[in-house]
């Protein structure tokens, strides 16, 4: 069901959760385009998704278009084979254009209006694959093909709710895995460390609104991502807490308190969102929004990154990274370009 207002969106999530009705939910970055639909009513001809432990898509040759599958198919395994090689031509904005936006962000940082700003850009892409084919062939911890409007492959969970426990997993820091000593560079970087401290502190504050006993269980763990161009290392942290009594059966209220996701905005959140609006040269749309699934027992969700959308003009990939006062513009520009990939390998 497409939802018209934020209030209805969050309350619909609460209602289905309280009735233990499994559902899918989605919101764009600005909470202007929203959907909450029971899984029993969600057609696989319109929406396909995978997240750890759950798959919603039609099995080739066996399932009807409306069938929901809770499958044991291994994560990151393709259901489709092809003899074509992927063509992937990206046309990023010029460095000068990026630098103009970057300098706006840096001025705000120097004025103390923010400590961390996630600056993002759009990159036109030409490819010989459809969005559906990319979804079927691509690998990702979380992936979604949505009404043939966009596809994405996210390595980053947003929040997970399991009984009384809530967890969040902010991701900050990316490096080319082929660089000499890449992991050491990433872990020892003062800039990346400061960025992770900032975002972990922000997420802790967000979780403290809805949970007690909030703690950082794992700080700055490294994961390797495979892409169609190169392998990357990323850094994340895990933060957990016990839900406050009034939020135990109201995940919509939790989302209302925590959106937009701190890892794709910055800190402090309200001021930084305004800086983003004033500095970025594009509309994020569903990029950096959130989607998730409640399976009747637990709720899992992710941040919509590694995102490719379709318009009349063609395909557009959206990517970016965190900017701090210690950032180097050329490094940040290259990171934005490196993230323009699909995980086919």
């Amino acid at each position: 069901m497409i939802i018209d207002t934020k209030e209805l969106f969050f309350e619909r999530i609460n209602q289905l959760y309280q009735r233990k009705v499994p559902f899918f939910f989605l919101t764009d970055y600005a909470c202007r385009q929203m959907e909450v639909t029971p899984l029993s009513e969600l057609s696989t001809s319109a929406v396909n998704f995978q997240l750890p432990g759950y798959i919603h898509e039609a099995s080739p040759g066996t399932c009807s278009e409306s069938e929901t599958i809770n499958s044991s198919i291994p994560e990151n395994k393709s259901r489709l084979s092809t003899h074509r090689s992927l063509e992937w031509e990206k046309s990023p904005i010029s460095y000068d254009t990026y630098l103009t936006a970057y300098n706006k962000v840096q001025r705000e940082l120097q004025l103390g209006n923010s400590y961390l700003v996630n600056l993002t850009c759009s990159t036109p892409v030409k490819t010989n694959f459809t969005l559906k084919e990319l979804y079927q062939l691509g690998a990702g911890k979380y992936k979604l093909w949505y009404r043939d409007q966009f596809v994405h492959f996210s390595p980053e969970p947003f929040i997970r709710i399991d009984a009384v426990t809530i967890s969040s997993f902010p991701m900050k820091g990316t490096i080319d895995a082929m660089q000499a000593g890449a992991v050491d560079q990433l872990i020892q970087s003062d800039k990346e460390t400061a960025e992770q401290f900032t975002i972990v502190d922000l997420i802790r504050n967000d979780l403290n609104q809805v949970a007690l006993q909030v703690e950082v269980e794992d700080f700055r763990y490294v994961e390797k991502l495979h892409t169609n161009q190169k392998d990357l290392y990323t850094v994340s942290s895990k933060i957990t807490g016990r839900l406050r009594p009034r939020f135990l059966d109201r995940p919509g209220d939790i989302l209302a308190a925590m959106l937009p996701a701190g890892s794709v905005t910055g800190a402090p959140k309200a001021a930084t969102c305004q800086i983003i609006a004033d500095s970025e040269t594009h509309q994020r749309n569903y990029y950096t929004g959130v989607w998730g699934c409640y399976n009747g027992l637990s709720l899992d969700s992710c941040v919509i990154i590694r995102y490719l959308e379709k318009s009349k003009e063609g395909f557009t990939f959206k990517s970016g990274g965190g900017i701090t006062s210690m950032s180097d513009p050329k490094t940040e520009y290259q990171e934005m370009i490196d993230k323009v990939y699909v995980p086919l390998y």
Side-chain angles (χ1 to χ4, degrees), residues 33-294:
Q33 302 174 89
M34 299 158 287
E35 175 174 348
V36 185
T37 303
L39 292 181
S40 61
E41 300 174 15
L42 188 67
S43 171
T44 56
S45 65
V47 180
N48 286 186
F49 66 81
Q50 291 189 26
L51 47 71
Y54 199 91
I55 296 173
H56 179 88
E57 57 190 47
S59 287
T62 61
C63 294
S64 68
E65 287 193 338
S66 61
E67 182 167 358
T68 298
I69 308 166
N70 192 352
S71 173
S72 60
I73 293 173
E75 185 180 319
N76 294 348
K77 295 297 183 182
S78 170
R79 292 163 159 261
L80 179 72
S81 61
T82 179
H83 298 294
R84 284 180 292 154
S85 297
L86 175 68
E87 296 174 9
W88 188 255
E89 179 185 341
K90 51 190 177 183
S91 303
I93 61 174
S94 69
Y95 176 68
D96 287 343
T97 300
Y98 177 83
L99 190 60
T100 298
Y102 174 91
N103 285 338
K104 288 182 181 179
V105 168
Q106 278 295 342
R107 281 194 292 273
E108 297 293 338
L109 292 169
Q110 297 303 322
L111 289 170
N113 294 327
S114 180
Y115 306 105
L116 168 66
V117 179
N118 199 75
L119 178 64
T120 71
C121 306
S122 288
T123 299
V125 168
K126 292 182 180 179
T127 181
N128 59 329
F129 282 68
T130 66
L131 292 180
K132 189 65 172 291
E133 287 173 330
L134 290 172
Y135 171 85
Q136 291 170 319
L137 289 164
K141 186 180 294 185
Y142 299 83
K143 66 176 185 174
L144 170 67
W145 171 78
Y146 185 72
R147 304 187 183 280
D148 209 34
Q149 296 176 33
F150 71 85
V151 66
H152 89 105
F153 308 87
S154 180
E156 182 177 359
F158 177 45
I159 59 169
R160 292 177 181 158
I161 300 173
D162 188 1
V164 300
T165 302
I166 184 170
S167 306
S168 190
F169 307 80
M171 178 182 291
K172 279 296 166 193
T174 303
I175 194 170
D176 184 343
M178 291 300 292
Q179 289 192 28
V183 172
D184 288 341
Q185 284 189 54
L186 198 55
I187 292 298
Q188 295 172 12
S189 165
D190 290 339
K191 182 262 180 184
E192 299 293 358
T193 302
E195 191 174 339
Q196 187 76 193
F197 269 115
T198 300
I199 208 63
V200 165
D201 189 52
L202 171 63
I203 299 300
R204 285 176 61 192
N205 289 337
D206 281 354
L207 285 178
N208 269 310
Q209 298 178 75
V210 302
L212 302 167
Q213 301 172 359
V214 175
E215 62 178 356
V216 181
E217 282 195 8
D218 197 351
F219 184 66
R220 302 196 78 215
Y221 58 87
V222 177
E223 295 180 292
K224 191 173 187 178
L225 304 178
H226 302 287
T227 86
N228 60 310
Q229 297 177 323
K230 62 176 74 174
D231 289 345
L232 303 172
Y233 286 117
T234 65
V235 177
S236 300
S237 295
K238 179 181 180 181
I239 309 161
T240 62
R242 292 180 62 82
L243 289 173
R244 296 177 184 271
R246 70 186 184 91
F247 290 100
L248 283 173
D249 62 351
R250 300 188 67 82
D253 294 359
I254 294 170
L255 290 166
M258 295 190 64
L259 290 174
S263 64
V264 290
T265 52
K269 190 184 288 185
T272 302
C273 286
Q274 186 57 54
I275 294 169
I276 288 170
D278 294 340
S279 303
E280 291 189 343
T281 58
H282 71 154
Q283 295 297 315
R284 293 191 177 193
N285 199 9
Y286 285 105
Y287 171 61
T288 66
V290 165
W291 71 270
C293 173
Y294 171 62

Side-chain angles (χ1 to χ4, degrees), residues 288-301:
T288 66
V290 165
W291 71 270
C293 173
Y294 171 62
N295 64 10
L297 295 172
S298 60
L299 183 146
D300 197 0
S301 63

